[in-house]
Amino acid sequence: MHDPFPISPPPWLVKATTPLAEYLNLSTLPIHIHELLLAALSYHIICSYVSPFFSRRLFPSIYPSLPLRSRVNWDVHVVSLVQSVVVCAVAIWVMIADEERKSMEMEERIWGYTGADGMIQAFAAGYFLWDLQICLRYLAIFGPGLLMHAVAALVVFLLGFRPFVNYYAPTFILYELSSPFLNFHWFFDKLQMTGSKPQWYNGIMLLGSFFSCRLLWGTYQSLRVYQDCWAALHFSDTYGSRVAAGLHVLKEVTHPKGILELMDPTRARAELMKYNPNPENMPLWLGLTYLGSNMMLNTLNFYWFGKMIETVKKRFRTPKEEAKAKEDGEVVDAVVEGVELDGRVVKLAADGHLMREEGMDGEVKSGKASGFEEADCETTRRKM
């Protein structure tokens, strides 16, 4: 399936990107660079301008009164909500409509390429490029865990431009199906709907979608890509000679619009493998880099799922259960840092003692904590 994006890459941008792409061996990056940059720019505009503009008007008594870090978190959640809905819808459409993708064997899943999968890679890479700069800019808010997630995800999707495991781009982007519910859960807290029925129903959908999409689907697809990578590490070149036989007739069997006639399977597969016509054994470093990043993402998903269960349960404790938890010395939340007081970021011990306080000017203090507002992370100290 050819790239369905309606805008072609500007020749000057392709020319400017080609040297870097050749140096990094990212063969298909120049023909998708415009999609990557447009995605990153769109998310920046939404975060910096669109979200603040509409949020002030839709929630005039809430959004303007939030501390700076809460407004940053609000705008980031808006971007995440928009991105997850759009990219998942496009990915599902590609998985249904791309007939070439459905016919891929191991070799094509590792080294093959379709324009539609490349577009999904570009959209995802654009989001994680934006996400990386946000995590670096606001490291005190989002922490090293989300920074590692952004780096690992960006590496995974950039490697797809070699092309490498291009087939799995829409597969793994479906992790994001749980993100709308995660974002709504956060917004319910900020809209003073903590413990409400809508948040309860959303929490059920959040845990169900996260478990289904990231843990079940994600783990299964990770095992599939591990299996394909293992086969690629021990690859025989018999496929390369078989595909090469069809390369010389590619231009002669195209429609006027450039769409390949799929009557001959050999010629069709030659089109899928046009960027890797003679595949060789997969380099060990490439497999380790990709699989290591994938494993890191899966590990974070399991870790976050446990924290999400704790957080959702604590939103709906009865006063009696809350009192018992305090008597037992239970920590109110798994993460007890990032709490705000008049624009200052503080870190609390489980007993409420102030371990560290950092002002907007970088001044660090310590002392006794009191009157603090609920933190902004998904697993944060619950408002008393």
Side-chain angles (χ1 to χ4, degrees):
M1 184 177 183
H2 287 238
D3 188 347
F5 195 69
I7 303 175
S8 299
W12 63 267
L13 185 57
V14 173
K15 183 178 180 180
T17 309
T18 298
L20 176 63
E22 290 178 348
Y23 178 76
L24 298 176
N25 197 23
L26 303 177
S27 305
T28 63
L29 178 60
I31 59 177
H32 292 286
I33 186 63
H34 64 304
E35 297 163 347
L36 189 157
L37 295 178
L38 280 174
L41 178 61
S42 297
Y43 299 137
H44 171 73
I45 292 174
I46 292 172
C47 184
S48 300
Y49 304 103
V50 177
S51 175
F53 178 83
F54 284 102
S55 297
R56 289 179 185 278
R57 285 155 180 79
L58 294 174
F59 307 101
S61 63
I62 296 178
Y63 181 84
S65 63
L66 293 174
L68 174 63
R69 58 176 278 116
S70 295
R71 293 199 302 272
V72 170
N73 252 292
W74 180 294
D75 298 332
V76 167
H77 278 278
V78 169
V79 174
S80 175
L81 179 61
V82 172
Q83 184 265 349
S84 58
V85 171
V86 172
V87 77
C88 285
V90 176
I92 292 172
W93 173 74
V94 167
M95 294 174 72
I96 294 173
D98 192 347
E99 297 297 331
E100 293 170 301
R101 183 180 180 276
K102 294 177 184 178
S103 68
M104 286 185 174
E105 299 176 359
M106 183 278 291
E107 296 89 347
E108 290 102 9
R109 291 196 297 267
I110 294 293
W111 292 290
Y113 165 85
T114 71
D117 286 344
M119 178 187 69
I120 298 296
Q121 282 178 183
F123 289 164
Y127 173 75
F128 288 114
L129 178 63
W130 169 85
D131 189 37
L132 176 61
Q133 64 88 19
I134 284 290
C135 288
L136 288 171
R137 182 179 177 184
Y138 299 107
L139 184 60
I141 296 178
F142 299 109
L146 289 178
L147 177 62
M148 288 191 300
H149 177 273
V151 171
L154 182 60
V155 168
V156 165
F157 284 103
L158 284 179
L159 285 175
F161 291 114
R162 293 179 66 89
F164 176 70
V165 294
N166 175 263
Y167 168 90
Y168 287 99
T171 298
F172 286 118
I173 205 64
L174 292 187
Y175 278 18
E176 296 297 317
L177 282 171
S178 64
S179 294
F181 304 107
L182 180 64
N183 291 311
F184 281 129
H185 185 82
W186 188 91
F187 283 123
F188 280 132
D189 282 342
K190 289 294 171 277
L191 295 175
Q192 301 174 3
M193 297 177 66
T194 301
S196 64
K197 285 187 176 180
Q199 190 180 49
W200 169 249
Y201 297 137
N202 181 79
I204 294 174
M205 293 298 297
L206 168 59
L207 294 178
S209 61
F210 196 98
F211 180 79
S212 301
C213 299
R214 299 198 179 216
L215 303 191
L216 291 184
W217 170 264
T219 301
Y220 168 69
Q221 294 298 332
S222 293
L223 291 174
R224 288 191 64 196
V225 77
Y226 297 162
Q227 185 180 31
D228 282 346
C229 287
W230 177 260
L233 283 170
H234 304 83
F235 180 68
S236 171
D237 195 36
T238 56
Y239 179 85
S241 59
R242 177 160 51 93
V243 169
L247 286 176
H248 69 283
V249 293
L250 266 178
K251 293 183 180 180
E252 299 175 7
V253 294
T254 56
H255 287 298
K257 293 184 178 181
I259 303 174
L260 180 67
E261 287 277 12
L262 298 180
M263 298 172 61
D264 187 325
T266 301
R267 294 170 181 173
R269 297 195 184 284
E271 169 72 0
L272 295 176
M273 299 289 286
K274 63 184 178 181
Y275 291 101
N276 285 308
N278 296 296
E280 300 176 353
N281 288 349
M282 182 179 67
L284 182 60
W285 71 266
L286 180 59
L288 291 177
T289 301
Y290 183 88
L291 297 181
S293 298
N294 184 274
M295 190 173 296
M296 179 187 298
L297 294 174
N298 285 333
T299 301
L300 287 171
N301 284 331
F302 277 92
Y303 172 79
W304 284 333
F305 185 67
K307 297 303 181 185
M308 287 165 56
I309 292 176
E310 294 177 12
T311 301
V312 171
K313 286 172 60 179
K314 289 166 187 173
R315 290 291 189 274
F316 300 95
R317 276 180 174 163
T318 64
K320 184 177 180 180
E321 292 173 332
E322 191 74 33
K324 185 177 184 303
K326 290 181 181 179
E327 290 176 2
D328 294 341
E330 182 179 335
V331 178
V332 177
D333 258 329
V335 176
V336 286
E337 60 182 324
V339 184
E340 295 176 13
L341 175 62
D342 301 328
R344 290 169 289 171
V345 179
V346 303
K347 179 180 288 187
L348 301 178
D351 62 358
H353 188 75
L354 179 60
M355 296 169 58
R356 189 172 187 272
E357 173 182 331
E358 183 176 345
M360 298 302 291
D361 57 358
E363 182 183 4
V364 177
K365 304 176 183 179
S366 62
K368 187 67 179 177
S370 62
F372 288 98
E373 184 178 313
E374 182 183 11
D376 293 307
C377 299
E378 282 73 19
T379 51
T380 52
R381 181 178 175 89
R382 185 179 178 185
K383 188 183 295 183
M384 301 303 295

